[in-house]
Amino acid sequence: RHRRRLPAPARPGIRRGMSYLEESLAPGETIVARFELHWTAKGRLILGIILIPLVVGIFITIYEWLRLRAIELGVTTHRVVRKTGIVSRETDEIRLSAIETVDLSQSMWGRLLGFGDVRVTGRGESNMILSRVADPVGVKRAIESAYSTNIERAGLAARQSQ
């Protein structure tokens, strides 16, 4: 009649509710910065809230809320990461050592409201777009700072030890 709930067995080193960015860190790798989406990226969520009286609006709202919660953007000491997906998971990652350029794109509205796109281009044909991020200049600066701190200094130390 009365059953006790038992907690799920914990895996060592993995906290429950840990984000993908934290979960996927390599040994010795740390998160340098996390990025947030600008409020304008939540347009469909806002539309859903406006349409809540309609049944369709409720589904749009729930879907958009889940979709936006599932997006993770960040830079670690080794890579730039973009993760999306509600049930399935899709990740784009570019190693800091493979970055060639970090470009910023802001429309007039983006400049006025403080959002924009940051394009990280790697060697070959790899590139990643962090769309509608809040404070895109800060995002670009964080990626470039992580690059210079962790890649350029490592290269300089390697050259000096030779």
Side-chain angles (χ1 to χ4, degrees):
R1 277 181 108 181
H2 300 284
R3 293 186 180 165
R4 241 180 17 173
R5 257 187 197 190
L6 298 175
R11 295 187 310 190
I14 304 287
R15 288 191 342 249
R16 191 173 200 160
M18 188 178 288
S19 72
Y20 170 78
L21 206 52
E22 293 166 333
E23 220 176 269
S24 68
L25 291 174
E29 181 178 21
T30 58
I31 297 170
V32 175
R34 289 179 179 267
F35 311 123
E36 299 294 326
L37 293 174
H38 190 268
W39 66 267
T40 59
K42 300 169 182 151
R44 288 184 285 194
L45 175 63
I46 294 167
L47 178 63
I49 290 170
I50 291 170
L51 297 176
I52 279 182
L54 304 172
V55 174
V56 174
I58 293 170
F59 290 112
I60 291 172
T61 302
I62 291 169
Y63 171 78
E64 279 301 304
W65 181 76
L66 291 171
R67 185 185 72 81
L68 292 170
R69 282 195 47 142
I71 295 173
E72 276 189 78
L73 309 169
V75 62
T76 71
T77 51
H78 296 275
R79 59 208 162 107
V80 179
V81 179
R82 178 179 183 272
K83 193 270 300 179
T84 59
I86 297 172
V87 176
S88 61
R89 178 184 294 170
E90 182 176 328
T91 63
D92 291 325
E93 301 177 6
I94 295 181
R95 297 195 60 76
L96 291 178
S97 59
I99 291 177
E100 290 188 356
T101 62
V102 181
D103 299 319
L104 171 66
S105 174
Q106 276 187 296
S107 65
M108 177 192 70
W109 289 110
R111 291 204 57 196
L112 289 171
L113 299 174
F115 70 91
D117 297 342
V118 175
R119 178 187 306 263
V120 181
T121 305
R123 288 189 204 114
E125 295 193 22
S126 63
N127 78 51
M128 173 191 310
I129 299 175
L130 305 176
S131 298
R132 286 198 168 201
V133 291
D135 186 22
V137 174
V139 170
K140 182 180 192 290
R141 191 177 308 121
I143 294 169
E144 289 172 340
S145 174
Y147 178 85
S148 65
T149 301
N150 297 293
I151 302 305
E152 289 177 354
R153 287 186 186 165
L156 180 62
R159 284 191 297 273
Q160 288 176 349
S161 68
Q162 291 176 350

